[in-house]
Amino acid sequence: MSEAEDRKPRSDEARASYDPEITSEFAIPEGLAVARTGGESETTSEFSLPRGLEGAQGEAEPEGSAFNMPHTYSVKDAPAAFTPATGVPMITLITDAPWQDRMRTMLRMPVADRPALEPVVRSEDEGPAVPRVLDLTLRIGELLLAGGEGAEDVEAAMFAVCRSYGLDRCEPTVTFTLLSITHQPSLVEDPVTASRTVRRRGTDYTRLAAVFRLVDDLTDAEAHVSLEEAYGRLAEMRRNRHPYPGWALTLASGLLAGAAAVLVGGDVIVFIAAALGAMLGDRLAWLCAGRGLPEFYQFTVAAMPPAAIGVAFSLAHVDVKASAVITGGLFALLPGRALVAGVQDGLTGFYITAAARLLEVMYFFVGIVIGVLTILYFGVQIGGQLNPDALMNIQSRPVLQILASMVLSLTFAVLLQQERSTVLWVTLNGGVAWSVYGALHYTANISPVASTAVAAGLVGLFGQLLSRYQFASALPFTTAAIGPLLPGSATYFGLLSIAQSEVDKGLVSLAKAVSLAMAIAIGVNLGAEISRLTLRIGSAGKRRAAKRTRGF
């Protein structure tokens, strides 16, 4: 065969490649030799493995390359797992511990370390309706947050309600005015999220205790509370009236102010005057509330009558401690409940809620300052002789002061709408708090800030122990008991110094009042944490806390 015949195309494909009429861009140019591949087209997919990178199937790439095909884990051929030298701790929770301790422990654990949810048998045949369970959870959290409960305790209650109905993988979130809950049925399904806004707050510890009993029944495996029963009990709580009428609250505010005046050195006349001023201020605050004025103006108006009575005694040259009358009125207004809750939220890591609560306390305090300072300023201008040193040298009267502190705690409990069964306990707790403070400050000559912190720590410790014994919230046992420790005298001394144009001296006294308030709040929280350390709650060895680094 000749060389020309050898170059002659022998197939249609070859003829097409040499045909000058074909102008396709995929045509093989003349003179380009293409190796034959047996009739199969060349693989050009970007997902194909390049030659020499076959991974586990070849020898060019070692095991563990990023180009290896993924392996499927199986029980028979499982990879080697790392086991710490100390072993993997088994995380268990003691079932007979109070639900708030168990849920708080789980919330403080990493998500991957939380114990799996045990199967729960409910009366519903088809299982719980997820949107309704989330709605019930939000409504319970709303009542707790509006009642003054700490953010961590609210999250623990919401977490407990979800788990009681078999909803695992739930994450509650609590801020000062917003509640949200997220539930993810599985890792491949979309999460379900619901939220609720807290627009109105009210102090009713009886309702707070009822909510705690409901959550306790929901977490009880033998109770089997259905969704309908839970909604019915929740609606009944909202419909119930307060345990004490309005006139009883007004009388309690007067007795509180009178007891506080006796606590700082007042006599019978001072007791009566402080009680009348506080009751008048309470009625004026109710009048402002009925007209829709914000709480800032209510505190401002309520602080004026006790200050006016004290100034009137000074102008009339009556031989009484007018300063004690004003101080007693301040005791009835200082927002100790909000202060303790705000500091507690900050210490437990809820900084947004803590900042909002402390900002609320600041507004209330500024309202009290404006009300008292206005009266004191005009009193000083018209010749009122108010002696601030009268409160610096308080005569020690242990028996009378202990009785006054117990009366103060009792009336404070009534103002907080506590259950009658808890009033006796909180009264005794308040007497113990003042006894400890008096022994440390007046007898041992320890600074008032340190004495207040120790006394508040005992209040928090006893309050937590009593709440665990009653399976209830700790607030009814602690909030009213810190009433005798509130910095009423330091606040009045600072305001009077400012009214007398001694600004530096007044600011120092107000700084002392702030220090005492912080000592109360930190002491209560520290006592509560110490009580939890003594309880057998159950966790992975030691209870884990949030890790904080230094600058990074």
Side-chain angles (χ1 to χ4, degrees):
M1 184 181 296
S2 64
E3 183 178 356
E5 294 178 350
D6 185 63
R7 293 197 303 266
K8 185 177 180 181
R10 292 180 175 84
S11 63
D12 295 339
E13 179 182 358
R15 186 180 302 109
S17 63
Y18 286 95
D19 192 349
E21 299 296 330
I22 298 177
T23 59
S24 172
E25 59 180 346
F26 297 100
I28 302 175
E30 184 177 357
L32 179 63
V34 180
R36 297 186 178 273
T37 58
E40 296 182 0
S41 60
E42 187 73 18
T43 302
T44 59
S45 172
E46 59 181 348
F47 297 101
S48 60
L49 294 176
R51 291 185 179 181
L53 297 177
E54 295 87 0
Q57 303 298 328
E59 300 179 356
E61 196 70 21
E63 181 71 21
S65 171
F67 296 97
N68 287 349
M69 298 296 293
H71 295 283
T72 302
Y73 292 96
S74 62
V75 178
K76 296 181 180 180
D77 188 19
F82 171 74
T83 302
T86 57
V88 179
M90 179 179 180
I91 303 177
T92 58
L93 295 177
I94 298 176
T95 57
D96 58 350
W99 64 265
Q100 53 264 47
D101 291 324
R102 290 186 282 116
M103 295 302 108
R104 184 183 292 108
T105 302
M106 293 192 65
L107 286 174
R108 292 181 179 181
M109 289 181 184
V111 178
D113 293 348
R114 293 176 182 172
L117 180 64
E118 297 180 0
V120 180
V121 180
R122 291 289 178 186
S123 59
E124 292 85 359
D125 297 333
E126 299 180 357
V130 173
R132 296 197 67 196
V133 173
L134 298 183
D135 179 71
L136 176 67
T137 302
L138 290 173
R139 292 179 182 273
I140 290 177
E142 178 190 9
L143 287 181
L144 293 176
L145 186 62
E149 193 66 68
E152 187 178 33
D153 293 325
V154 176
E155 282 197 359
M158 296 172 64
F159 194 72
V161 173
C162 288
R163 288 180 66 88
S164 65
Y165 284 104
L167 298 186
D168 201 4
R169 303 187 186 92
C170 290
E171 287 297 331
T173 303
V174 176
T175 59
F176 187 59
T177 57
L178 182 64
L179 299 167
S180 64
I181 182 77
T182 301
H183 167 64
Q184 188 172 12
S186 65
L187 297 178
V188 296
E189 297 182 64
D190 295 333
V192 181
T193 303
S195 62
R196 194 173 181 87
T197 303
V198 180
R199 301 187 183 277
R200 186 175 180 181
R201 302 176 184 274
T203 304
D204 190 344
Y205 281 2
T206 300
R207 181 179 297 171
L208 190 70
V211 176
F212 263 73
R213 284 193 294 269
L214 174 59
V215 178
D216 186 54
D217 292 340
L218 289 174
T219 56
D220 189 357
E222 300 178 357
H224 301 294
V225 180
S226 64
L227 277 174
E228 298 299 330
E229 294 175 357
Y231 267 108
R233 291 176 59 177
L234 202 61
E236 185 179 357
M237 295 174 198
R238 291 180 176 274
R239 288 194 301 264
N240 284 345
R241 298 179 62 87
H242 297 305
Y244 305 103
W247 63 266
L249 299 180
T250 301
L251 181 61
S253 63
L255 292 177
L256 190 153
V262 173
L263 202 63
V264 295
D267 52 11
V268 178
I269 298 178
V270 172
F271 176 89
I272 297 174
L276 290 177
M279 288 189 289
L280 180 59
D282 181 76
R283 287 293 90 189
L284 290 177
W286 276 93
L287 181 62
C288 294
R291 296 294 185 270
L293 290 178
E295 287 184 295
F296 176 84
Y297 302 106
Q298 297 176 29
F299 274 85
T300 302
V301 172
M304 289 183 175
I309 292 177
V311 172
F313 277 153
S314 176
L315 293 174
H317 302 287
V318 180
D319 190 15
V320 296
K321 288 187 176 181
S323 300
V325 177
I326 303 175
T327 303
L330 290 176
F331 266 89
L333 296 175
L334 292 178
R337 173 184 58 86
L339 174 67
V340 172
V343 175
Q344 180 180 355
D345 288 342
L347 294 176
T348 52
F350 294 84
Y351 300 113
I352 297 178
T353 308
R357 288 186 189 271
L358 294 178
L359 185 62
E360 181 187 39
V361 171
M362 188 193 72
Y363 271 102
F364 291 162
F365 189 76
V366 170
I368 296 171
V369 167
I370 292 175
V372 175
L373 199 57
T374 301
I375 300 298
L376 292 181
Y377 178 77
F378 285 107
V380 171
Q381 295 300 318
I382 62 178
Q385 300 295 328
L386 295 172
N387 184 16
D389 296 332
L391 292 179
M392 299 300 294
N393 300 318
I394 300 176
Q395 184 180 1
S396 178
R397 299 175 294 178
V399 178
L400 186 60
Q401 288 177 331
I402 291 175
L403 292 177
S405 65
M406 295 176 68
V407 172
L408 194 153
S409 299
L410 187 148
T411 53
F412 202 175
V414 174
L415 290 175
L416 294 174
Q417 302 282 357
Q418 293 189 197
E419 292 181 311
R420 291 177 173 85
S421 59
T422 63
V423 172
L424 177 61
W425 292 108
V426 75
T427 302
L428 296 176
N429 202 6
V432 171
W434 181 261
S435 300
V436 173
Y437 172 79
L440 294 176
H441 180 55
Y442 295 111
T443 304
N445 294 324
I446 299 178
S447 67
V449 176
S451 303
T452 301
V454 174
L458 289 178
V459 168
L461 177 61
F462 293 156
Q464 287 291 335
L465 295 179
L466 289 172
S467 67
R468 295 308 180 266
Y469 176 74
Q470 300 283 343
F471 286 90
S473 172
L475 287 180
F477 300 98
T478 57
T479 305
I482 65 173
L485 303 176
L486 292 176
S489 58
T491 303
Y492 165 72
F493 182 79
L495 297 180
L496 182 59
S497 299
I498 293 176
Q500 293 177 342
S501 300
E502 298 178 358
V503 179
D504 295 340
K505 195 174 180 181
L507 292 178
V508 171
S509 183
L510 290 179
K512 179 182 177 181
V514 173
S515 301
L516 292 173
M518 295 296 293
I520 292 172
I522 295 175
V524 170
N525 181 263
L526 181 60
E529 293 295 333
I530 291 175
S531 68
R532 295 190 186 106
L533 293 177
T534 61
L535 298 174
R536 295 179 64 250
I537 301 172
S539 62
K542 297 182 179 180
R543 177 171 58 84
R544 298 182 180 180
K547 295 181 179 179
R548 296 290 180 260
T549 57
R550 294 173 181 161
F552 56 90

